[in-house]
Amino acid sequence: MSEPVDDPARQLQNRLDIALATNFDLALVFLPAADIALYVAEGRVDLGITGRDMVQESNVDVQELLQLGFGKCKLCVQAPIKSNIKNPKDLCGKRIVTSFPTLAAKYFKELDPTKTTSIHYVSGSVEAACALGLADGIVDLVETGDTMRAAGLEVVSEIMTTEALLVANPHTAHKELVDTFRKRIAGALTAERHVMIEYNVERARLAEAVKITPGKKSPTLSPLDDANWVAVKCLILLSESNTKMDQLEKIGARDILIYNIHNCRVSNE
């Protein structure tokens, strides 16, 4: 007869939905996005990644640590185009289908407290509810809008914008580990979104150059053999790199070099 295993780590290793980090004191638990905020707020889970919409729908107390920059979309009230509904108040007291019953009920209650709007929950295919006669309008996420338009729907109003967040249990007993993990994620995001720029510029035009490339804190300046020139090095946003290069060339900067730092870890503080 085998002995019972009391070590939680050993128990976790046998689970398919859990992975143990090899170089950090961390166990990764894979859960549905809709459940993560609740586990972080009230369970033995210190950190979680889920959408802002899921956090607000769960109506729990979690600490937002980082906006992760992906999964961006909008939670919107939608109605059939042929219904010609342009004001969300026209849907108060009617039938709404959604995967976000808490947020939808709160929204329509604030719009008109005198009317009872019928909120029905479905876990998926929300956009089909109007065509199938289940709803007069829906509350659902909109990213590109292709699914919405294919279902003959249009946006009536926007409830909120959302994206993926790193959230934490505000009462965690492992604050130091949580902060270390946050810093590592923040550093990785910085490296992903930024490039390094180096160039030479005349000292007389250094102030102009620094305005163009102020860096995250301030640029690194190095003297050159020619005392009238200085070398500048700093981080800039990848999305702005071409514009920055054009601006630097206009003020006479030379030897401009931009290179990727994606595989580097950059401190975010």
Side-chain angles (χ1 to χ4, degrees):
M1 181 177 180
S2 61
E3 295 181 1
V5 178
D6 295 326
D7 183 358
R10 291 185 180 180
Q11 292 176 339
L12 295 180
Q13 283 179 318
N14 295 324
R15 298 286 302 276
L16 294 178
D17 55 352
I18 292 176
L20 299 181
T22 58
N23 60 354
F24 194 77
D25 193 10
L26 180 76
L28 300 175
V29 184
F30 299 92
L31 298 167
D35 299 339
I36 290 174
L38 179 62
Y39 277 98
V40 170
E42 301 186 13
R44 294 175 60 189
V45 179
D46 299 289
L47 289 159
I49 294 176
T50 189
R52 180 178 287 110
D53 53 315
M54 297 298 181
V55 172
Q56 294 194 16
E57 176 64 24
S58 299
N59 196 26
V60 293
D61 181 24
V62 296
Q63 180 183 4
E64 180 182 321
L65 298 183
L66 281 177
Q67 298 178 28
L68 300 179
F70 64 89
K72 292 183 178 181
C73 52
K74 298 177 181 180
L75 184 65
C76 298
V77 177
Q78 303 167 41
I81 297 173
K82 63 182 181 181
S83 71
N84 203 34
I85 293 175
K86 305 299 181 183
N87 191 326
K89 286 188 176 181
D90 294 339
L91 288 168
C92 291
K94 296 187 177 181
R95 302 169 302 162
I96 301 295
V97 164
T98 183
S99 298
F100 299 88
T102 300
L103 289 172
K106 179 182 178 182
Y107 180 78
F108 283 101
K109 184 69 174 177
E110 291 176 351
L111 276 181
D112 191 342
T114 66
K115 294 181 180 179
T116 301
T117 303
S118 178
I119 308 293
H120 295 286
Y121 170 81
V122 296
S123 60
S125 300
V126 179
E127 68 281 351
C130 293
L132 296 178
L134 186 62
D136 301 299
I138 67 171
V139 172
D140 200 14
L141 294 173
V142 177
E143 187 175 5
T144 64
D146 291 344
T147 302
M148 174 186 68
R149 288 186 288 270
L153 302 171
E154 65 180 354
V155 171
V156 177
S157 65
E158 179 185 317
I159 296 177
M160 65 176 293
T161 58
T162 182
E163 67 176 288
L165 305 175
L166 177 67
V167 297
N169 185 320
H171 308 295
T172 177
H174 308 287
K175 293 186 181 297
E176 186 174 346
L177 284 174
V178 165
D179 192 49
T180 298
F181 188 80
R182 177 192 64 81
K183 288 178 180 178
R184 291 187 180 184
I185 295 296
L189 290 174
T190 297
E192 185 177 79
R193 297 169 183 170
H194 291 75
V195 289
M196 188 69 73
I197 187 167
E198 296 184 25
Y199 58 90
N200 299 328
V201 68
E202 288 183 285
R203 286 189 179 275
R205 311 208 70 169
L206 179 58
E208 295 175 76
V210 170
K211 285 183 180 179
I212 297 171
T213 59
K216 286 181 64 63
K217 297 294 184 184
S218 64
T220 300
L221 306 179
S222 303
L224 297 175
D225 286 342
D226 187 336
N228 294 320
W229 286 72
V230 62
V232 182
K233 179 179 180 180
C234 66
L235 289 176
I236 59 173
L237 287 170
L238 174 62
S239 59
E240 299 177 354
S241 58
N242 289 329
T243 300
K244 297 291 185 184
M245 178 178 284
D246 293 340
Q247 292 172 339
L248 289 170
E249 287 179 341
K250 285 183 179 180
I251 65 167
R254 296 292 182 266
D255 307 317
I256 303 172
L257 173 64
I258 294 177
Y259 53 94
N260 196 295
I261 57 171
H262 180 69
N263 293 325
C264 302
R265 178 187 168 190
V266 178
S267 173
N268 200 50
E269 295 184 346

